[in-house]
Amino acid sequence: MANLGSNDQRVLTTLKKSNKPLSAYDILDRTRSAALKAPVQVYRALQKLEKRGLVHRVEALNAFVACCDDHHGLHRPGFVVCRDCGVAREFEDKRVARVAEDAAGPDFLIETISLEIYGRCAPCRAAA
Amino acid sequence: MANLGSNDQRVLTTLKKSNKPLSAYDILDRTRSAALKAPVQVYRALQKLEKRGLVHRVEALNAFVACCDDHHGLHRPGFVVCRDCGVAREFEDKRVARVAEDAAGPDFLIETISLEIYGRCAPCRAAA
DNA sequence: GTTGCCTTCGTTATGATATAACATTACGGT
DNA sequence: ACCGTAATGTTATATCATAACGAAGGCAAC
Ligand SMILES: [Zn+2]
Ligand SMILES: [Zn+2]
Ligand SMILES: [Zn+2]
Ligand SMILES: [Zn+2]
């Protein structure tokens, strides 16, 4: 598979600099001066990055985060997301795969698992 | 809280008749002749129905399903979704809540949990 | 009853997310 | 150089969701 192109790297760098998930259009805004001019370029980069496990999509936010763990390669993380401050913390738990297999049954071929937990983080609760 | 209005019931009935998740615009298409004329009416109905646990949103599909279980009230189901045929099967597993609590930690207030499993169901695999 | 208030519902417009379709360029193999 | 393929750029469009405002309905105080 081809290496990362310059668009891909710009998108990845942008995500790594953010402590929150960014939408494709957030990324576009932050890279427009650099080189990216249209949504499709961002989406193409995101797709490539996601295939390699460098970026994850947070479904319920329509947004993307850089994987917090560079060495891992592809994996199936979950996310804990604060609705107030928007921070998304990636985690893994082996029990998730077992739950998924039990739910899907032996003849279902699992391709992806999305587990997202929403609520209020401790600092935000204290502040409120 | 107010009872279901006629729009709400039309939306719920439409979802119950479908064996797959429907987008808000799918619902709109199927109810336009009845009474619903604009997306916002569908979204308002869906919001009310979701609050009562009568429908669930499937995040990664941007779509909605009628709850398979009428008596339950509010609960936290997961979904097993076939990418080929689009069927979404609702399930529950108590282990999910424990995984979520462990991941979120004691000071995070969990509000919602979304667990969605994507892949190919047995009939679709056999057909392919 | 009618006035004022609040909630629901309808209508129009717009914002936000994502992809289709096609042109252009980059690049390796011959 | 020539071709075929993959990557990138460009324009347009499809899809999903909400803002803003007004009309209609219910309910209590007067
Ligand atoms: Zn990761
Ligand atoms: Zn927070
Ligand atoms: Zn349910
Ligand atoms: Zn299937």
Side-chain angles (χ1 to χ4, degrees):
Chain A
M1 197 181 182
N3 268 338
L4 294 183
S6 55
N7 284 353
D8 307 323
Q9 300 200 319
R10 270 188 275 260
V11 168
L12 182 56
T13 303
T14 302
L15 280 174
K16 279 187 173 162
K17 281 198 293 218
S18 172
N19 66 329
K20 308 179 184 174
L22 298 178
S23 77
Y25 284 78
D26 291 339
I27 296 168
L28 183 58
D29 287 342
R30 294 173 194 215
T31 53
R32 217 184 274 277
S33 59
L36 296 173
K37 305 221 162 94
V40 67
Q41 297 172 293
V42 177
Y43 282 105
R44 288 206 272 237
L46 288 168
Q47 190 173 337
K48 195 194 276 190
L49 292 166
E50 200 179 5
K51 272 202 205 122
R52 294 159 186 245
L54 297 171
V55 160
H56 305 294
R57 178 181 166 90
V58 184
E59 294 294 346
L61 297 178
N62 296 326
F64 303 83
V65 290
C67 179
C68 62
D69 175 3
D70 281 342
H71 63 285
H72 240 98
L74 233 39
H75 59 152
R76 297 197 198 283
F79 290 93
V80 179
V81 184
C82 175
R83 291 206 142 101
D84 275 356
C85 64
V87 168
R89 194 168 52 71
E90 183 174 343
F91 72 94
E92 278 186 275
D93 189 318
K94 294 195 172 63
R95 288 173 291 179
V96 175
R98 285 201 293 276
V99 169
E101 282 155 20
D102 290 348
D107 295 329
F108 188 97
L109 176 66
I110 295 176
E111 289 172 353
T112 66
I113 300 173
S114 159
L115 173 56
E116 300 176 4
I117 298 156
Y118 291 86
R120 313 276 163 185
C121 73
C124 287
R125 290 175 70 193
Chain B
M1 196 181 184
N3 266 339
L4 294 184
S6 54
N7 284 353
D8 307 323
Q9 298 196 322
R10 272 188 274 260
V11 168
L12 181 56
T13 303
T14 303
L15 280 175
K16 279 186 173 161
K17 282 197 292 218
S18 172
N19 66 330
K20 309 179 184 175
L22 298 178
S23 77
Y25 284 77
D26 290 338
I27 296 167
L28 184 57
D29 287 343
R30 295 174 194 213
T31 54
R32 217 183 274 275
S33 60
L36 297 173
K37 305 222 160 95
V40 68
Q41 298 172 294
V42 178
Y43 282 105
R44 288 205 273 236
L46 288 169
Q47 189 173 341
K48 195 194 276 190
L49 293 166
E50 200 180 6
K51 272 202 204 120
R52 294 159 187 246
L54 297 171
V55 312
H56 305 293
R57 178 181 166 92
V58 184
E59 294 293 348
L61 297 178
N62 296 326
F64 302 83
V65 290
C67 179
C68 63
D69 175 3
D70 280 341
H71 63 285
H72 241 97
L74 234 38
H75 59 150
R76 297 196 198 285
F79 291 93
V80 179
V81 185
C82 176
R83 290 207 142 101
D84 276 356
C85 64
V87 168
R89 194 167 53 71
E90 184 174 344
F91 73 93
E92 278 187 275
D93 189 319
K94 294 195 173 64
R95 288 173 290 180
V96 175
R98 284 201 294 276
V99 169
E101 281 154 21
D102 290 349
D107 295 329
F108 188 98
L109 175 66
I110 295 175
E111 290 173 353
T112 66
I113 299 174
S114 159
L115 172 56
E116 300 175 3
I117 298 157
Y118 291 86
R120 314 277 163 185
C121 73
C124 287
R125 288 174 71 192

